[in-house]
Amino acid sequence: MRYTNNWKDYELLDTSDGERLERWGKYILVRPDPQVVWKDMKNNKLWKTPDAVYSRSKSGGGAWKNNKLPEQWNIRYEKLDLTFVLKPMGFKHTGLFPEQAVNWEKMYDLIKNAGRPIKVLNLFAYTGGATVACAKAGASVVHVDASKGMTLQAKENAKLSGLESAPIRYIVDDCQKFIEREIRRNNKYDAIIMDPPSYGRGPNGEVWKLEECIGDFIKKASCVLSDKPLFFLVNSYTTGLSPAAVGYILNTTLKKRFGGSTELDEIGLKVTQTGEILPCGGSSFYIGEQ
C-alpha cells in the first residue's frame, strides 16, 4: 500500500459505517465511501459538526445536506507547490482525489530525473491533478477529458499553481477517438496516464465497461508511445479489477516490447483517528528502461 504523508491542507480524520470524515482546508466534510465496511465508534467530535454531509438517496444519486460550504475554495499540496480549487459536486466529489498525491510525486521525480524533454498524455484527465504535477516537473502535457467543465477546472488549477503559461494543451474529446486520431497522425508521447471510469458511454452511445475494455485500450494507447517510454500509469477504482490484473496487461504489452518494470499497488489515505490506511483504489505503474 502506498500513501503520502505530505498533505497539510487535507486530512482523513476518521472512517466508520460507510462514511469518511475529512478536513479540506478549514472545512469538514462527511462523504460516503463503499470501502468503509467497518462500524467503529465515531469518537471524533467533528462527526457532529461537519460543514456539509453528502447523503445518498434511496432512489439513486444524492445531495449535500446541512451545507455551509462556499461555492469553491482552494487547498495546496505544498510538497510540489501545487494549488487546487475545490467545488462540491452533485455526485459527492470535490474535484480532487487526494490519494493520487503519491502518484503525482512519483511522476514528478521520474520526469525531473529523466534528463531529456518529456511529453505526457493524460487521458480521462479530470481536473488535472496529474497534469499540473507533470507540468511542474517540466514536462509538456496533452490533457484530454470528455467534460468541458472538468477541463475548465483543470485550467484553473494550472493557473493557481503558477502554470498558466506552461506547455499544456487542453482537449475536450472522447479519449478513445482521440487516441485513434493520434495513431493516424503518428504523434508520440514519452509517458501516458489514464484514469478511466468504471462505466460510461461514448459519443455515439458506445458502452464502456472497464473490465471489458481496458486491455484493448491499453494496447491501442501503447501505439502512441515513443521508442523510449518513461512511464505508463493506469489508475482503477473498480473493485473487480486488481492492480495485478492491469499489471499483466502492461507486462505483456509494454514490458515485453520495451523492457523496464512494473510496480503494482493499492494506494490509500492514512486515517488520523486509527493510524490505519483506507484503500482508495489501485495503481499499475509501468516504468521504462532509462
Side-chain angles (χ1 to χ4, degrees):
M1 179 81 76
R2 293 190 297 125
Y3 65 96
T4 181
N5 282 318
N6 293 317
W7 274 110
K8 294 182 180 179
D9 278 1
Y10 173 85
E11 184 179 7
L12 181 52
L13 299 165
D14 199 6
T15 58
S16 182
D17 198 15
E19 294 181 317
R20 54 163 81 177
L21 176 71
E22 305 168 291
R23 177 179 61 81
W24 295 82
K26 66 179 182 179
Y27 298 105
I28 305 301
L29 278 63
V30 174
R31 298 191 296 157
D33 191 315
Q35 295 283 2
V36 182
V37 296
W38 46 89
K39 295 185 179 181
D40 297 335
M41 295 293 291
K42 294 184 176 180
N43 292 320
N44 193 307
K45 62 182 181 182
L46 292 174
W47 282 107
K48 298 178 181 179
T49 58
D51 294 295
V53 176
Y54 188 90
S55 296
R56 291 206 181 280
S57 169
K58 292 181 180 179
S59 60
W64 293 96
K65 306 292 186 181
N66 306 318
N67 192 345
K68 299 185 285 290
L69 300 172
E71 288 188 7
Q72 64 182 62
W73 70 100
N74 298 341
I75 65 171
R76 294 193 65 231
Y77 189 62
E78 294 185 354
K79 171 78 173 181
L80 300 182
D81 189 25
L82 302 176
T83 301
F84 302 98
V85 61
L86 302 179
K87 299 178 182 180
M89 301 177 187
F91 186 64
K92 83 173 182 177
H93 292 166
T94 62
L96 193 68
F97 293 97
E99 66 273 9
Q100 285 295 326
V102 70
N103 284 331
W104 303 339
E105 292 178 23
K106 189 173 187 68
M107 292 183 286
Y108 181 94
D109 289 340
L110 286 168
I111 293 166
K112 273 288 187 183
N113 296 324
R116 57 189 171 102
I118 297 297
K119 185 178 179 182
V120 176
L121 174 61
N122 188 8
L123 299 168
F124 311 98
Y126 195 50
T127 59
T131 293
V132 293
C134 291
K136 182 69 77 167
S140 61
V141 184
V142 175
H143 172 112
V144 185
D145 195 275
S147 169
K148 183 177 180 180
M150 295 301 99
T151 303
L152 289 172
Q153 193 164 336
K155 291 182 179 181
E156 203 169 346
N157 287 333
K159 182 177 180 179
L160 289 169
S161 298
L163 296 165
E164 188 174 15
S165 300
I168 304 172
R169 182 183 172 205
Y170 301 94
I171 298 174
V172 178
D173 200 355
D174 175 79
C175 290
Q176 295 204 74
K177 300 297 184 185
F178 178 79
I179 284 291
E180 290 167 1
R181 287 197 298 273
E182 290 295 88
I183 292 171
R184 292 195 295 269
R185 296 166 181 150
N186 199 32
N187 283 337
K188 300 294 182 181
Y189 299 86
D190 304 295
I192 294 176
I193 306 158
M194 59 172 65
D195 201 340
S198 298
Y199 180 85
R201 288 189 178 274
N204 297 315
E206 308 95 329
V207 175
W208 166 277
K209 291 183 180 179
L210 184 60
E211 299 95 326
E212 297 176 5
C213 300
I214 190 62
D216 287 342
F217 190 59
I218 288 174
K219 291 176 182 177
K220 187 177 290 186
S222 72
C223 295
V224 301
L225 282 171
S226 64
D227 293 335
K228 192 177 180 182
L230 183 64
F231 64 81
F232 195 123
L233 170 63
V234 181
N235 288 308
S236 171
Y237 296 91
T238 303
T239 54
L241 186 66
S242 70
V246 178
Y248 188 97
I249 301 169
L250 293 176
N251 282 330
T252 55
T253 303
L254 304 181
K255 186 178 176 181
K256 184 177 180 180
R257 175 180 167 192
F258 298 108
S261 60
T262 52
E263 297 180 8
L264 316 172
D265 289 292
E266 284 188 286
I267 59 174
L269 293 165
K270 190 171 184 178
V271 182
T272 301
Q273 189 73 27
T274 63
E276 299 297 326
I277 309 300
L278 173 69
C280 298
S283 287
S284 304
F285 230 123
Y286 165 80
I287 300 173
E289 290 184 343
Q290 304 306 309

